[in-house]
Amino acid sequence: MSSLKSLLVLASATAAKAAVASAVDYVIVGGGPAGYVVAEMLSQNPSVTVTLLEKGPDEINNTDVNIPGTLLPSANDAWAYYSQPDENLGGLAPNLLQGSMLGGGTGVNLMGYCRGAASVFDEWAEVSGNQGLAWNSLLENFKATSRWVAQEGLEYEQVVNTTVFGDGPIEVSQQSFLTGLEVPFAQVLQDELDLPQVCLEDGTGIGVDMSVQSISANRTRSYARNTYGAIMEGRSNVQVLPNSWVSSIGFEGTKAINVTYVDTVTNVTTIIPAGEIIVAGGAINSPKLLMQSGVGPADVLSGLDIPVVADIPEIGANLWDHHYSYILLEVTEDITTYYQTFLNATESAIAEEEYADNHSGPLSSVSGESFATARLPDSIFNSSHYPSLASDRPHVIYEYNGAPLSTEATYLSRSIVSGMTALVQPEASGYLTINSSDYTQAPLMFSNFYGSESDKTAILYAYKKLRELFANEALSEWIVSEAYPGANVTSDADIWSAIQESARSFHHPVGTVALGTVLDSEWRIKGLDNIRVVDSSAIPSLTTCHPQGVVYAVAHRAAQDIVKADGISKRRCVHS
Ligand SMILES: Cc1cc2nc3c(=O)[nH]c(=O)nc-3n(C[C@H](O)[C@H](O)[C@H](O)COP(=O)(O)OP(=O)(O)OC[C@H]3O[C@@H](n4cnc5c(N)ncnc54)[C@H](O)[C@@H]3O)c2cc1C
Ligand SMILES: *[C@@H]1O[C@H](CO)[C@@H](O)[C@H](O)[C@H]1NC(C)=O
Ligand SMILES: *[C@@H]1O[C@H](CO)[C@@H](O)[C@H](O)[C@H]1NC(C)=O
Ligand SMILES: *[C@@H]1O[C@H](CO)[C@@H](O)[C@H](O)[C@H]1NC(C)=O
Ligand SMILES: *[C@@H]1O[C@H](CO)[C@@H](O)[C@H](O)[C@H]1NC(C)=O
Ligand SMILES: *[C@@H]1O[C@H](CO)[C@@H](O)[C@H](O)[C@H]1NC(C)=O
Ligand SMILES: *[C@@H]1O[C@H](CO)[C@@H](O)[C@H](O)[C@H]1NC(C)=O
Ligand SMILES: *[C@@H]1O[C@H](CO)[C@@H](O)[C@H](O)[C@H]1NC(C)=O
Ligand SMILES: *[C@@H]1O[C@H](CO)[C@@H](O)[C@H](O)[C@H]1NC(C)=O
Ligand SMILES: *[C@@H]1O[C@H](CO)[C@@H](O)[C@H](O)[C@H]1NC(C)=O
Ligand SMILES: *[C@@H]1O[C@H](CO)[C@@H](O)[C@H](O)[C@H]1NC(C)=O
């Protein structure tokens, strides 16, 4: 990669604080999975110049990022976002953190890899007018971005349809280490919910599955930085700049012409003129950047003295997210728990040695999961969207998670594991807006979890069912007691309080700069020129399970569309 400094030409006249870099064909804002895939595909053409700007650092050598079993991201690698207090949750303000590093969310996430119900993608094709998003077309992009890697010597059965993986960069595999409750819980789910074991990556929406994860054969995180980033290394037409925080996009009339970014290490401000700008900051930061650059609801922008480039009320309006509530179970010593492994110096030394020597043991997988995607009975709803959802769509996930989902000390000093149930096709969305023109200020997010009468009905039913599933006789040999909310919590009112108190974001936000409403079928912001949005914010509605695999595939499709639309041989702008 050529060094940016060699390209810098100091702005002449004003002895300005901002340096001006040479123009490039494409500036991509945000180095998450979407930004990386688009950068890699556009830069395959050596005559096209691409600059990828990422606010966070390069963590390529950070073992906390690379080793699956290590837990939460450091403050340096995340946007510490919280919702405003959510009335539905009795004033709780859910943590909405986002990844901030080369790789974005794929560097901090829990590596669950899933695709879910095919009808979701067919719906996107319909609302966007982009037929490439239909399941049968997008399957090619899923294959082009992922690769199945088999694990040796596993002691459990899992249904995997390997035909839906290709030879793409992201390595996907099974759990190599089980905490102990995964298989028995999967069996309870099959028996009690009358569901088969399925592969949730082949278009199937409903069934029971063990965890599938974006982890390499050697049990290290497989993410945008160490896959797509590695492919681009050595290409002289692409620059990837970490620690580069884009503060605004510049417009001439309705045409996007440049981006301004601040180097977070040196504080130097630089402007890059660009033939086209592709916004890929994720579902919370893309709408925020657009609004702070004058693209969004005019009333909000005017109120903050931001000159209005385009009045687009839908930007930020639909913050869709999977959200869940949990229970905690105290388990016997036969189950490998966070408490046993990570809070016991002897055991954690053994785990580290095992990982170092053999790439196995508790550190080789994420906490341990098995889950069902399931429908709720139509009869519990009066009039709502739930019964009318396409028949391949689940309403909820019921999941076993080997980590304690509470960080309260009382639950960390014992052998505790978790159960969780999530709404995966909620009726209500939240929204986000801004109350400052200063790019360093967080947007205001309103989670609106369990935000409709039917969403409340759904979670109340599902939470009771979750408790019942874990109370099943078949698990009694391992489960000592329900530590939270506890046996004394039985009335609907008390259960609802526990649901509110334990409500969390699954960190799967989408929909805030959606195809169909804000974007046309070719990823352009309607009414503006030379600016596209390609990332989770462009995704118009929620998938039925974990979205990262979908973000890679959607970005791959978008890059194909862009190459086709812009013409592969056309230089987009004159280089200065
Ligand atoms: C804690 C957590 C756990 C998750 N767990 C899972 C999981 O297990 N399985 C799963 O499938 N999905 C999971 N996800 C979701 C998944 O990671 C996201 O859906 C995915 O990363 C979204 O990709 P994206 O490219 O749209 O945005 P992001 O991954 O958010 O990337 C956007 C990037 O843009 C950068 N950026 C934003 N604004 C600017 C700016 N102004 N200037 C410069 N750079 C900017 C950000 O720093 C970030 O690196 C999780 C997410 C989180 C946060
Ligand atoms: C990572 O380590 C390699 C090998 O030591 C080194 O060349 C590279 O500069 C390091 N990268 C970062 C971002 O630290
Ligand atoms: C595997 O997935 C493909 C694509 O969805 C499907 O056509 C095929 O029937 C699946 N195979 C099995 C055995 O389920
Ligand atoms: C693990 O495998 C990946 C992908 O093949 C490779 O890039 C990486 O260097 C390997 N890491 C280690 C520690 O062996
Ligand atoms: C960047 O765009 C702004 C318009 O918002 C314009 O005023 C400025 O001159 C541009 N700067 C460069 C260096 O292109
Ligand atoms: C950059 O700016 C921040 C905030 O104003 C300041 O704390 C920091 O010292 C500056 N760093 C440099 C290298 O100037
Ligand atoms: C820590 O683990 C060791 C080895 O397994 C065990 O002997 C010891 O009792 C554990 N300590 C605690 C406090 O549980
Ligand atoms: C690594 O694997 C070998 C062979 O299975 C085993 O004998 C050894 O004990 C393992 N090492 C550790 C540290 O667990
Ligand atoms: C924006 O809202 C946040 C959260 O309520 C508050 O802390 C902050 O002071 C507000 N900023 C402005 C400029 O009003
Ligand atoms: C269904 O109707 C009953 C009686 O009118 C009402 O109490 C309940 O809240 C409604 N439920 C939903 C999900 O709308
Ligand atoms: C149930 O018992 C726990 C622990 O004693 C207590 O904190 C909680 O308030 C009780 N909840 C109800 C609804 O009685």
Side-chain angles (χ1 to χ4, degrees):
M1 268 169 279
S2 58
S3 133
L4 176 73
K5 284 196 181 106
S6 70
L7 296 173
L8 289 182
V9 184
L10 283 182
S12 48
T14 52
K17 285 179 211 129
V20 179
S22 296
V24 294
D25 296 322
Y26 294 95
V27 168
I28 301 170
V29 182
Y36 260 103
V37 170
V38 173
E40 193 284 317
M41 290 186 65
L42 295 179
S43 66
Q44 284 176 13
N45 180 343
S47 71
V48 169
T49 49
V50 177
T51 296
L52 176 63
L53 299 171
E54 166 55 46
K55 183 225 172 202
D58 186 356
E59 296 287 30
I60 187 76
N61 296 328
N62 184 342
T63 52
D64 285 348
V65 171
N66 294 331
I67 300 177
T70 45
L71 290 166
L72 293 170
S74 75
N76 200 32
D77 298 337
W79 302 78
Y81 285 162
Y82 289 85
S83 171
Q84 293 298 298
D86 191 329
E87 282 171 31
N88 307 329
L89 309 179
L92 187 85
N95 181 336
L96 302 179
L97 84 82
Q98 294 278 283
S100 173
M101 65 161 96
L102 292 182
T106 65
V108 305
N109 72 21
L110 297 180
M111 295 172 262
Y113 183 100
C114 197
R115 297 171 185 169
S119 72
V120 169
F121 307 100
D122 294 344
E123 182 186 299
W124 296 352
E126 200 172 305
V127 303
S128 69
N130 184 333
Q131 286 313 309
L133 295 172
W135 167 257
N136 282 334
S137 305
L138 199 62
L139 182 53
E140 291 312 311
N141 307 94
F142 279 118
K143 287 185 184 173
T145 49
S146 67
R147 176 177 1 155
W148 181 258
V149 293
Q151 294 290 312
E152 304 293 319
L154 295 182
E155 286 165 2
Y156 66 96
E157 299 290 326
Q158 181 166 7
V159 175
V160 183
N161 183 343
T162 52
T163 68
V164 296
F165 295 90
D167 59 359
I170 300 299
E171 297 190 13
V172 182
S173 62
Q174 291 168 260
Q175 264 172 119
S176 60
F177 177 84
L178 298 182
T179 59
L181 267 186
E182 293 86 347
V183 173
F185 185 64
Q187 191 60 52
V188 167
L189 290 170
Q190 289 173 75
D191 296 344
E192 295 302 313
L193 303 174
D194 195 21
L195 290 173
Q197 263 209 51
V198 295
C199 172
L200 292 172
E201 288 72 54
D202 74 356
T204 302
I206 295 176
V208 175
D209 204 357
M210 306 288 288
S211 184
V212 170
Q213 309 171 329
S214 49
I215 299 184
S216 297
N218 61 18
R219 307 312 296 169
T220 55
R221 181 188 292 267
S222 183
Y223 73 122
R225 166 65 182 98
N226 64 7
T227 56
Y228 284 90
I231 295 168
M232 285 190 286
E233 260 154 38
R235 282 187 195 163
S236 61
N237 61 327
V238 57
Q239 299 184 89
V240 177
L241 303 179
N243 309 309
S244 300
W245 189 347
V246 173
S247 56
S248 69
I249 298 167
F251 291 86
E252 195 175 77
T254 55
K255 192 165 94 178
I257 59 168
N258 62 39
V259 305
T260 301
Y261 74 92
V262 179
D263 183 312
T264 60
V265 180
T266 62
N267 291 343
V268 170
T269 299
T270 304
I271 299 174
I272 311 184
E276 175 166 319
I277 291 147
I278 298 174
V279 180
I284 293 177
N285 285 308
S286 285
K288 167 188 184 283
L289 174 63
L290 289 169
M291 285 190 232
Q292 287 175 332
S293 304
V295 179
D299 52 342
V300 172
L301 306 185
S302 304
L304 297 168
D305 294 326
I306 298 171
V308 177
V309 174
D311 175 17
I312 308 180
E314 295 92 347
I315 290 184
N318 296 298
L319 177 60
W320 292 104
D321 200 359
H322 293 148
H323 43 289
Y324 68 87
S325 291
Y326 63 74
I327 64 174
L328 302 171
L329 294 315
E330 182 154 7
V331 292
T332 63
E333 304 190 328
D334 299 334
I335 307 299
T336 308
T337 62
Y338 175 81
Y339 167 69
Q340 282 182 343
T341 311
F342 296 104
L343 299 182
N344 179 318
T346 316
E347 287 293 339
S348 67
I350 292 171
E352 275 172 33
E353 195 188 341
E354 191 178 351
Y355 185 84
D357 284 5
N358 295 334
H359 288 277
S360 60
L363 291 173
S364 69
S365 287
V366 192
S367 58
E369 287 170 14
S370 56
F371 63 98
T373 49
R375 293 286 277 205
L376 302 174
D378 289 350
S379 58
I380 67 173
F381 301 106
N382 299 337
S383 90
S384 93
H385 88 162
Y386 284 94
S388 60
L389 285 171
S391 62
D392 68 340
R393 302 226 195 146
H395 299 147
V396 296
I397 283 179
Y398 297 112
E399 177 172 311
Y400 162 70
N401 191 308
L405 290 172
S406 166
T407 51
E408 278 182 48
T410 167
Y411 302 121
L412 299 182
S413 56
R414 291 181 275 163
S415 279
I416 297 279
V417 297
S418 311
M420 57 188 266
T421 181
L423 299 190
V424 291
Q425 295 281 286
E427 212 171 49
S429 67
Y431 71 99
L432 67 87
T433 187
I434 53 171
N435 69 345
S436 170
S437 58
D438 176 353
Y439 77 97
T440 65
Q441 297 303 299
L444 295 183
M445 295 146 277
F446 297 85
S447 50
N448 196 29
F449 290 168
Y450 310 134
S452 78
E453 206 46 45
S454 293
D455 286 349
K456 291 191 177 76
T457 302
I459 193 64
L460 190 62
Y461 181 95
Y463 195 82
K464 290 179 188 174
K465 176 63 80 179
L466 181 75
R467 297 177 84 189
E468 208 179 289
L469 290 165
F470 278 97
N472 191 283
E473 181 58 31
L475 304 177
S476 63
E477 115 181 54
W478 301 283
I479 296 183
V480 177
S481 67
E482 184 189 88
Y484 179 87
N488 60 341
V489 174
T490 53
S491 70
D492 275 9
D494 289 343
I495 293 171
W496 175 241
S497 296
I499 289 170
Q500 290 178 305
E501 185 183 53
S502 67
R504 300 289 183 268
S505 167
F506 223 136
H507 298 288
H508 298 168
V510 297
T512 47
V513 192
L515 284 161
T517 49
V518 180
L519 306 179
D520 69 16
S521 62
E522 292 193 332
W523 314 89
R524 295 189 181 96
I525 297 180
K526 293 178 189 173
L528 297 178
D529 296 316
N530 297 1
I531 182 164
R532 286 182 161 98
V533 180
V534 179
D535 64 4
S536 47
S537 72
I539 288 176
S541 62
L542 288 164
T543 56
T544 59
C545 54
H546 313 65
Q548 64 165 338
V550 177
V551 176
Y552 285 112
V554 162
H556 190 271
R557 170 62 59 171
Q560 287 177 330
D561 292 343
I562 293 169
V563 168
K564 209 180 286 172
D566 292 0
I568 48 168
S569 60
K570 180 171 136 229
R571 292 290 284 262
R572 294 189 50 87
C573 60
V574 179
H575 292 247
S576 51

